[in-house]
Amino acid sequence: MKVRVVCRKVYDYIRYDLKEIAFPSSLPDPPHIQNRPKLTWRDNLFILKKATRLYCASWRKSPSVIEDLAVAARGGMETLRPALQRVYLTRASAYRDALQSFIQGYQEGVQQVMEKKEEESKTQSEGNAPKKST
C-alpha cells in the first residue's frame, strides 16, 4: 500500500512539478490583450516576399559613403575634395549634436540633484528648528 502511494506521488511530481521547474510557464496575458489569428501559409509567404522586396529596395535607394567616395575618387582630386568635405561636415555635425544633447542632459541631471539636495536640506532644517512654546 505504501509503495503504491509513494509511486503515485513520484509520478505526480514528475508529471506536474518537475515539468514546471524544468520548463516554467509564462504569466498569462493581461485581459485587454487580444490574440491575433494565426496566418495561413499563403499570408506568411506574401509577408515574407513583401519584406524581402522592401529590404532589397532599401539597399538600392541611396549609395553608401564608401561608394560615393569611390565614384568621387575616379573623377580626380576636384571631385574627391568636396565629397570628403561633405563626409567630414556630416560627421562633425553629428558629433556636435550628440555632444550638445549630452551636455543638456547632464545639466538637467545636475539641476535635479541640486533641487533634491535643497529640498532635503529644507526639510532637515525645518525638522531641526526649535519648537516655540506658547
Side-chain angles (χ1 to χ4, degrees):
M1 182 81 164
K2 289 185 179 184
V3 173
R4 189 174 181 189
V5 172
V6 169
C7 288
R8 192 180 82 233
K9 290 197 181 225
V10 168
Y11 175 75
D12 288 343
Y13 176 77
I14 291 172
R15 185 173 176 197
Y16 300 110
D17 298 334
L18 189 63
K19 183 175 90 172
E20 189 64 31
I21 291 170
F23 306 104
S25 60
S26 61
L27 294 173
D29 288 332
H32 66 277
I33 301 292
Q34 296 177 354
N35 292 336
R36 290 184 291 175
K38 286 196 169 191
L39 298 175
T40 62
W41 279 100
R42 183 172 286 175
D43 293 338
N44 281 328
L45 189 60
F46 174 74
I47 291 170
L48 181 64
K49 284 181 181 179
K50 187 162 185 145
T52 305
R53 285 186 195 129
L54 288 172
Y55 179 73
C56 292
S58 70
W59 280 96
R60 286 189 227 129
K61 283 181 181 177
S62 61
S64 68
V65 175
I66 296 172
E67 292 171 351
D68 191 24
L69 288 176
V71 169
R74 288 185 196 140
M77 198 60 179
E78 296 84 21
T79 58
L80 184 61
R81 179 171 285 153
L84 286 174
Q85 285 177 345
R86 276 195 311 272
V87 169
Y88 287 129
L89 287 176
T90 56
R91 286 190 179 182
S93 67
Y95 289 142
R96 186 185 65 234
D97 294 342
L99 188 61
Q100 285 176 348
S101 66
F102 172 76
I103 290 171
Q104 182 182 2
Y106 184 79
Q107 288 174 346
E108 289 173 0
V110 167
Q111 186 178 6
Q112 288 175 356
V113 168
M114 295 303 289
E115 288 173 358
K116 283 184 182 179
K117 284 186 178 181
E118 288 176 6
E119 290 175 8
E120 289 176 0
S121 65
K122 285 181 183 178
T123 56
Q124 288 178 356
S125 65
E126 289 173 2
N128 294 337
K131 297 180 181 178
K132 295 181 181 180
S133 58
T134 54

